[in-house]
Amino acid sequence: MAERGSNHSPETGAFFQRDRQWHPAAFTPNYKSSVLRSPQRALVAFDNTLSELTGPVFGHAMLGELDNDLIHNFARPGESALGERIIVHGRVLDERGKGVPGVLLEFWQANAGGRYRHKKDAYLAPLDPNFGGCGRTITGEDGSYAFRTVRPGPYPWPNGPNDWRPAHIHFSVFGHGFAQRLITQMYFEGDPLIWRCPIVGGISNREAVEALIAALDMQSTIPMDALAYKFDIVLRGRRSTLFENRPEGN
Amino acid sequence: MAQSLDRLKESPSQTAGPYVHIGLTPNFCGIGGVYTNDLGSTMLNGETKGERIELRIRVLDGTGMPLKDALIEIWQADADGLYNSPSELRGAADPNFPGWGRQPTDMETGVCLFRTIKPGRVPFRDGRLMAPHITLWIVARGINIGLSTRLYFSDEEKANAEDPILARIEHRVRVPTLIAERQGDAYVFDIHLQGEKETVFFDS
């Protein structure tokens, strides 16, 4: 580990404060599971220390050849997953608009019918024997990434009596500091379920919701093979260290 | 009107959901053959320096029931107080210790088990030493944005007493919620999401 993701010297400034009005609140009662799982007291704030400024960095050596190909990474030889073939690509940026190179992205999703390969998922839509549902990649020098998969189906879940999740792909993102750690979900342009979903609805700002909706990207399709969606992810930016206070003698 | 600051907004968080294991610990949930190992499942090898310890962590909801679908990541310094990170500029950390680990809570018991080493002390921004601690990040169904907290050690009373972050906590009765209890070679740590014993969570 700790193989450098780029040749640039590491930045060490503190991360921008998180805008917690922009993120979903902890307590969002329309999403029922949040009711007993949300802290009720105020978070205790402090400026980043080394424990937040540093973070694990993963080398490309850990990746297998099919890690970013969910159509094939669980499929039997010569077969492929069933469903609408898509490419998902984009960049990981920070709030200053800089590409974030060398960061690990992990993603997971249901199959084309909305069924997850997980023993706790009892939905009656069948498993696809050629689809596992997990993938990962590491961003390039400019923060770009890409993977291919099948478009996941929507699925019902026991929240309200008739709640359905929009089609979505879960993303887990590392930055360069552990304080940038983020898990989110990507939605698909034009899906009418997005605006009915209590998990999405935990985000109160419409613009913030739109930041999670991937656009159909016809310029990145592979004709006669796969459609494409573009999804950029923004991590916390960091302050410059120009006039940082330093302890004496440091 | 002034010039635009020209900044982007951070992507909003969403819950990791109940099937977080598919993406982050696929072997744990029976998806074999995609990755050799679940990332972060092993933190030690025979050469790792430092005192071997075990962390037994549970996450409890507002009724006191342990979460059986949570996932915890830890980030910590090596035995000498150095982080295995490109942004660690004070020196090279132990090459046999990644400093980062990831474990799901057990689907039956809710216990999340880490085998790691006790971290050394790391300086605070002004040069004072923080007490040995491990940074925790917790995600699960029902948690909309990952929760950050720290685990400190019950047998580090003196260091804990001078720790600048613990000192920041205004309501002193809440400090013990961050201190894991030593039991043999293990430290036991219950994280309460809500209620009387609610754990201190950080915004940093």
Side-chain angles (χ1 to χ4, degrees):
Chain A
M1 202 147 74
E3 175 189 313
R4 287 178 194 230
S6 85
N7 297 321
H8 312 299
S9 60
E11 294 185 277
T12 54
F15 293 104
F16 295 166
Q17 186 189 326
R18 249 185 183 138
D19 181 353
R20 290 183 180 268
Q21 319 257 355
W22 176 259
H23 285 285
F27 178 73
T28 52
N30 292 334
Y31 172 27
K32 293 181 182 175
S33 308
S34 77
V35 173
L36 286 169
R37 294 181 169 201
S38 44
Q40 294 167 328
R41 306 196 187 192
L43 302 178
V44 173
F46 63 90
D47 202 10
N48 296 160
T49 72
L50 278 168
S51 306
E52 294 75 38
L53 292 169
T54 57
V57 171
F58 304 89
H60 287 81
M62 65 172 267
L63 298 177
E65 205 185 329
L66 294 177
D67 280 8
N68 65 347
D69 183 352
L70 282 69
I71 293 181
H72 295 109
N73 70 9
F74 192 78
R76 292 179 287 228
E79 299 187 16
S80 58
L82 204 63
E84 181 182 330
R85 297 158 68 91
I86 59 169
I87 288 167
V88 178
H89 76 108
R91 288 178 75 200
V92 177
L93 305 160
D94 78 7
E95 289 168 299
R96 299 166 303 175
K98 293 190 176 189
V100 191
V103 297
L104 178 68
L105 275 177
E106 297 162 289
F107 15 84
W108 68 101
Q109 62 168 88
N111 69 20
R115 175 75 184 272
Y116 281 98
R117 187 171 287 280
H118 193 287
K119 68 177 178 191
K120 294 210 175 143
D121 187 0
Y123 184 31
L124 46 75
L127 285 170
D128 174 350
N130 290 311
F131 188 75
C134 59
R136 61 187 178 186
T137 188
I138 291 176
T139 58
E141 271 294 304
D142 59 350
S144 63
Y145 75 92
F147 62 95
R148 67 169 164 176
T149 184
V150 293
R151 179 178 167 133
Y155 61 86
W157 59 300
N159 186 63
N162 188 23
D163 279 342
W164 291 71
R165 293 304 322 281
H168 64 278
I169 300 177
H170 296 265
F171 277 73
S172 160
V173 197
F174 286 79
H176 293 163
F178 202 52
Q180 287 177 299
R181 195 78 181 81
L182 181 72
I183 280 184
T184 189
Q185 301 182 28
M186 177 197 117
Y187 304 99
F188 291 83
E189 179 178 3
D191 185 342
L193 290 171
I194 294 171
W195 306 101
R196 299 169 183 264
C197 174
I199 289 179
V200 176
I203 302 172
S204 52
N205 186 314
R206 187 178 176 100
E207 237 184 292
V209 172
E210 285 167 352
L212 297 182
I213 303 176
L216 177 67
D217 177 7
M218 288 306 289
Q219 306 302 350
S220 299
T221 56
I222 307 176
M224 307 305 287
D225 181 340
L227 279 172
Y229 284 87
K230 182 159 190 286
F231 185 58
D232 287 341
I233 298 163
V234 181
L235 301 179
R236 293 171 75 179
R238 57 199 316 167
R239 302 204 298 258
S240 71
T241 49
L242 295 177
F243 294 94
E244 192 90 327
N245 291 326
R246 293 194 182 283
E248 293 301 321
N250 192 352
Chain B
M1 285 288 280
Q3 291 185 359
S4 162
L5 290 172
D6 203 20
R7 301 228 171 94
L8 303 173
K9 294 291 286 184
E10 188 185 10
S11 297
S13 172
Q14 291 273 263
T15 179
Y19 310 125
V20 59
H21 312 109
I22 294 174
L24 304 191
T25 56
N27 292 290
F28 169 80
C29 75
I31 301 177
V34 183
Y35 310 147
T36 318
N37 301 302
D38 288 337
L39 197 64
S41 57
T42 308
M43 299 178 73
L44 303 178
N45 65 33
E47 309 294 304
T48 308
K49 287 187 289 183
E51 180 194 349
R52 263 98 177 126
I53 59 171
E54 199 174 275
L55 308 177
R56 285 190 215 134
I57 305 174
R58 294 190 307 167
V59 184
L60 307 165
D61 73 13
T63 70
M65 222 170 69
L67 273 58
K68 295 170 181 175
D69 54 10
L71 181 123
I72 302 178
E73 290 184 5
I74 65 175
W75 174 241
Q76 64 167 102
D78 70 7
D80 295 324
L82 292 168
Y83 281 105
N84 193 336
S85 164
S87 13
E88 171 61 85
L89 304 177
R90 295 170 299 147
D94 180 354
N96 293 299
F97 185 63
W100 175 80
R102 171 193 276 171
Q103 294 289 346
T105 55
D106 185 275
M107 288 192 203
E108 306 295 327
T109 63
V111 176
C112 187
L113 192 74
F114 288 92
R115 291 194 173 85
T116 183
I117 53 129
K118 198 161 173 191
R121 294 179 75 172
V122 174
F124 186 60
R125 300 182 74 84
D126 61 8
R128 280 183 291 162
L129 290 177
M130 295 190 278
H133 66 275
I134 294 177
T135 300
L136 271 65
W137 188 69
I138 303 149
V139 294
R141 171 175 68 91
I143 295 177
N144 286 317
I145 179 164
L147 297 168
S148 296
T149 187
R150 286 184 174 196
L151 180 157
Y152 288 83
F153 300 90
S154 64
D155 50 357
E156 295 286 345
E157 267 181 65
K158 184 171 169 294
N160 292 343
E162 60 192 32
D163 182 83
I165 299 299
L166 293 178
R168 182 67 59 93
I169 299 166
E170 180 193 352
H171 301 101
R172 302 310 293 164
V173 293
R174 303 193 65 203
V175 173
T177 68
L178 298 181
I179 305 197
E181 202 57 49
R182 180 144 203 160
Q183 292 184 6
D185 289 335
Y187 290 89
V188 177
F189 191 53
D190 275 353
I191 295 163
H192 295 264
L193 296 177
Q194 281 184 0
E196 278 301 295
K197 292 184 277 187
E198 184 175 311
T199 298
V200 172
F201 297 103
F202 293 113
D203 183 13
S204 175

